[in-house]
Amino acid sequence: MQAIQTSGLTKEYPGVVAVNGIDLHVETGEIYGFLGLNGAGKTTTIRALLGMVKPTAGDIHVLGQQLGPHGQGPWARVGHMVEAPTAYPQLSVYENLLIASRHHHGVDRSRIDDVIDQLKLNAYVHRKAGVLSTGNSQRLGLAKALLHKPELLLLDEPTNGLDPAGVVEIRRLLRQLASGEGMTVFMSSHILTEVSRLADRIGIIHEGKMIEEYDAETINNLRSTRLVIQVQDPVKAKLVLETEGYTVAEVEGALHVLDEIAIGNPEKVATYLVNSGNPPSKLNIEQEDLESHFLSLTGVLA
Amino acid sequence: MSGYVLALQNEILKTLRSKLWILLGIGFSILPLVCALFMVIMKDPEAARDMGLISMKAQLLAGTADWPTMFGMLNMGISVAGLILFAIFTSWVFGQEFFNGTNKDLLAIPVKRTDIVFAKFTIVLIWAFLTTLYVFLLALLSAWPVGMPGWSLGLMWQSLLELLIASMLTTSLMSWVGFFACFGRGYLPPMGWAFFTLAMAQILAVLGWGEWVPWAVPALLTEMAGPRSEPLGFVSYFSVIVASVLGVLATLTWWLKADHSK
């Protein structure tokens, strides 16, 4: 069963198409990274998945159930944190969790203690939520989302405001929830490195449209190290290297060699090119991070 | 436990942990204390001058210092002060969710949105009822030492009933305040609405159309807008009920049908 399935999801506001015909297919148990620049339509999509905004067109199925016209859905099985984490400032951390537990009938009180431990909020249990740091507010938001052991977790920028240690901690927690407890995680972010380290699949949204979707293998390939060579005659050089058994791709006039043996012995590659009368003017080992790929996709580098 | 009961428990916890109900309780305390002070002044103006309660040049207040006058003043006060103080509480009950951003936490949950809205209106009703009882009790305690004539147990129960009716009529009109707190996503729109209806009610009552305007009915009932020769008709009470129900329906419709994009 797919945890999330949308077809032609569209949301229009007067003069703006916030989400434009998005088809999402998120498998049960996977971590799906939903990537886009600010204003790309990530939050509107998440709100639509949670029945908070009504789509102008398209269907939404969450955990196999089509969302109702008045926002009805399988919410007992879904946890969420949309945009900035929120809490009642006059209530303590524990009381905020108590309120959230009542929103999910039948959540055992001991479960509150469990999430407090899990999110390392023990030192702040009796502190008013209004005086928590940004990072601890984020932890409280996540604790509320996890309180009822959801099957699907929808998170909007979950590591915003966390320090580097906090980011690693949350990443570890989400990975453990997905692999250990089989939870499906759908998380949005505008930080590509964060998503690429965690997600099994990544969808890139730009100006309301899904412009690219990668699976884990493609993500790895895109993140992989390569030997980047610049030569005067790339066509001839490519032929020479392919004859020697290398896998070569021509990208914007440069040659990219992905084979580990080439990356481990670049001097050998250089020798072949020199011997063929086509010496390299530049030879670098580069790791194409997704960042530049993402930026070129969204036209920011153009 | 039903979603409504769970939502009501949450509203009670939020209210108890807020300082607002204490501040509004202090605000309401002024009403019976001022009424009792007027009784002191009206009972013996010369003594009041000597005590410095009124200036030497001040006009004497009309009326007599007795229990029926005391209760009458209290009723009038609650119909006007209640409209604003009840509106502040209602604005907070609904508006805090938008001010804190916690409205998002109330949408995609197993508890129905209608249960959440009804729980919010219930806490407003409970708070207004308890506050009215407190005001009445404080009025008794503060006016008792004045030693006024006209006391009877029957008068006390009758006055309490009238005060509760005036208070509940005013509270039932808070449904529109709740609606504007949601529609306007905060505190200012509902308070603007409350002041608008207060002003409108006074003007229309003076013009003689108050019986048809729900927001003027509590003031007419307590004779705030002047003494009446005949009691208010059924139409007046019915208009309050209709306005109240429409306000609740508008709030429910907003929660169920509006786009919650903020």
Side-chain angles (χ1 to χ4, degrees), chain A residues 11 13 47 51-54 70 75 80 82 84 86 88-91 95 99 102-105 144, chain B residues 1 3 6 9-10 14 17 97 100-102 104-106 108-111 113 256-257 259-262:
Chain A
K11 180 64 193 175
Y13 292 107
R47 282 182 184 267
M52 294 179 183
V53 297
K54 277 186 201 64
H70 298 146
W75 308 134
H80 64 84
V82 183
T86 53
Y88 297 100
Q90 77 271 26
L91 302 185
E95 287 167 335
I99 285 205
R102 287 183 187 142
H103 287 156
H104 293 275
H105 314 252
K144 280 158 60 183
Chain B
M1 223 180 285
L6 291 164
Q9 284 180 341
N10 281 350
K14 284 184 249 178
R17 290 288 181 270
E97 307 295 353
N100 298 327
T102 42
K104 293 176 296 191
D105 299 343
L106 302 176
I109 53 171
V111 174
R113 295 179 191 181
L256 290 174
K257 297 204 168 184
D259 265 343
H260 300 272
S261 54
K262 284 179 188 167

Side-chain angles (χ1 to χ4, degrees), chain A residues 5-301:
Chain A
Q5 193 182 353
T6 71
S7 59
L9 176 61
T10 302
K11 180 64 193 175
E12 290 178 21
Y13 292 107
V16 184
V17 183
V19 176
N20 194 351
I22 286 188
D23 297 321
L24 270 173
H25 301 277
V26 179
E27 299 296 331
T28 305
E30 77 173 336
I31 300 181
Y32 190 95
F34 197 47
L35 198 69
L37 301 171
N38 291 332
K42 304 185 296 289
T43 302
T44 304
T45 304
I46 289 185
R47 282 182 184 267
L49 294 176
L50 287 166
M52 294 179 183
V53 297
K54 277 186 201 64
T56 312
D59 281 333
I60 303 173
H61 285 80
V62 174
L63 297 172
Q65 185 179 329
Q66 184 163 18
L67 298 194
H70 298 146
Q72 304 97 319
W75 308 134
R77 298 154 64 200
V78 178
H80 64 84
M81 190 172 77
V82 183
E83 290 182 300
T86 53
Y88 297 100
Q90 77 271 26
L91 302 185
S92 68
V93 166
Y94 186 88
E95 287 167 335
N96 269 287
L97 289 169
L98 181 64
I99 285 205
S101 76
R102 287 183 187 142
H103 287 156
H104 293 275
H105 314 252
V107 171
D108 201 89
R109 290 281 177 99
S110 64
R111 179 67 190 146
I112 297 178
D113 298 327
D114 290 346
V115 290
I116 285 170
D117 282 341
Q118 201 170 16
L119 273 303
K120 297 189 170 58
L121 283 164
N122 308 64
Y124 311 99
V125 172
H126 301 296
R127 197 169 289 183
K128 295 259 191 293
V131 298
L132 289 180
S133 66
T134 311
N136 285 326
S137 298
Q138 198 81 2
R139 283 192 174 86
L140 175 57
L142 275 169
K144 280 158 60 183
L146 292 172
L147 197 57
H148 54 295
K149 290 190 176 172
E151 294 168 40
L152 169 65
L153 197 55
L154 289 155
L155 303 172
D156 193 7
E157 314 266 2
T159 54
N160 260 4
L162 292 176
D163 55 30
V167 172
V168 172
E169 197 182 299
I170 296 301
R171 198 185 297 148
R172 200 174 294 155
L173 172 70
L174 295 179
R175 202 171 282 141
Q176 182 232 320
L177 289 170
S179 60
E181 298 180 26
M183 198 179 285
T184 309
V185 180
F186 181 92
M187 58 175 281
S188 80
S189 179
H190 62 276
I191 305 166
L192 198 117
T193 44
E194 174 194 320
V195 174
S196 66
R197 282 180 186 171
L198 196 59
D200 300 314
R201 284 197 302 139
I202 293 179
I204 297 179
I205 182 173
H206 186 58
E207 294 177 349
K209 287 183 181 167
M210 185 79 98
I211 53 170
E212 201 76 70
E213 201 170 39
Y214 302 120
D215 56 19
E217 198 184 334
T218 316
I219 295 167
N220 276 334
N221 285 342
L222 282 167
R223 294 186 64 203
S224 63
T225 312
R226 62 198 58 211
L227 189 65
V228 180
I229 307 160
Q230 281 192 340
V231 285
Q232 269 207 328
D233 186 349
V235 178
K236 190 179 166 191
K238 187 176 180 229
L239 198 68
V240 169
L241 294 177
E242 280 175 346
T243 312
E244 296 299 330
Y246 295 110
T247 309
V248 186
E250 195 184 333
V251 181
E252 294 169 355
L255 297 181
H256 288 198
V257 186
L258 294 172
D259 306 79
E260 276 181 33
I261 196 156
I263 294 158
N265 305 284
E267 70 286 352
K268 211 169 175 181
V269 175
T271 307
Y272 289 131
L273 292 173
V274 170
N275 290 344
S276 69
N278 199 7
S281 58
K282 193 177 169 187
L283 195 141
N284 276 344
I285 295 174
E286 290 179 4
Q287 183 175 34
E288 196 209 19
D289 59 316
L290 276 168
E291 207 82 47
S292 52
H293 188 74
F294 169 60
L295 293 175
S296 63
L297 268 177
T298 53
V300 172
L301 288 182

